[in-house]
Amino acid sequence: MAAVHPAASPAAAADVPAGGRGATRIADRVVAKIATRAAREALREESPRARTDAHATVTVHRRDDTEHFGEARLRIAVELGYPSDIGAQCRAVRSHVTERVKALANMTVPEVAVEVERLRSPLLEGHGRERVQ
């Protein structure tokens, strides 16, 4: 049976100031996964039948306050179906990603850069892939 030390008791922990108790840090890769998933959710809501994809690059700036876990500046690359309203899809991604990262990681998101990496057209699917003889 483990012995309980007085320093490890909850009452002793309450005597330690907030800055001395340690901190929770959200890893950059976790924030990137949250942002990627949120971008895919936003694209599915915007155009449910279109094939879309997204991936995120995250830069996290740490702050020393107890209210937030830092600040995340995000760069998200997306593939969109074409023809479509590209601006509306990018706005939806920006908005949804900001909301989800704030809710799940408790981080402020001052910047979300959405990069359209590829436009995918159903008219061009398979075009140019056949062999020419």
Side-chain angles (χ1 to χ4, degrees):
M1 184 176 227
V4 177
H5 299 286
S9 71
D15 294 338
V16 178
R21 289 193 295 254
T24 301
R25 294 176 69 92
I26 308 294
D28 292 2
R29 63 187 164 83
V30 173
V31 178
K33 286 181 181 183
I34 292 169
T36 300
R37 184 172 187 145
R40 288 180 181 150
E41 289 170 0
L43 291 173
R44 273 189 230 112
E45 288 174 13
E46 235 0 78
S47 54
R49 288 177 282 158
R51 247 181 69 200
T52 57
D53 196 18
H55 59 272
T57 303
V58 177
T59 304
V60 178
H61 299 280
R62 307 289 176 189
R63 290 192 306 203
D64 293 330
D65 63 3
T66 57
E67 219 171 288
H68 300 286
F69 290 130
E71 187 175 272
R73 296 184 185 277
L74 309 170
R75 176 170 303 281
I76 299 176
V78 296
E79 288 185 15
L80 303 175
Y82 186 80
S84 65
D85 188 351
I86 295 169
Q89 289 181 328
C90 290
R91 275 190 301 279
V93 166
R94 215 175 279 115
S95 171
H96 194 65
V97 166
T98 301
E99 175 187 306
R100 297 301 287 161
V101 170
K102 173 68 177 153
L104 296 174
N106 197 23
M107 300 179 87
T108 57
V109 184
E111 177 184 344
V112 178
V114 179
E115 174 186 339
V116 179
E117 192 172 68
R118 176 186 286 168
L119 294 174
R120 186 175 288 152
S121 173
L123 300 174
L124 298 176
E125 292 287 319
H127 180 65
R129 291 187 183 172
E130 59 272 351
R131 263 179 91 172
V132 178
Q133 294 181 347

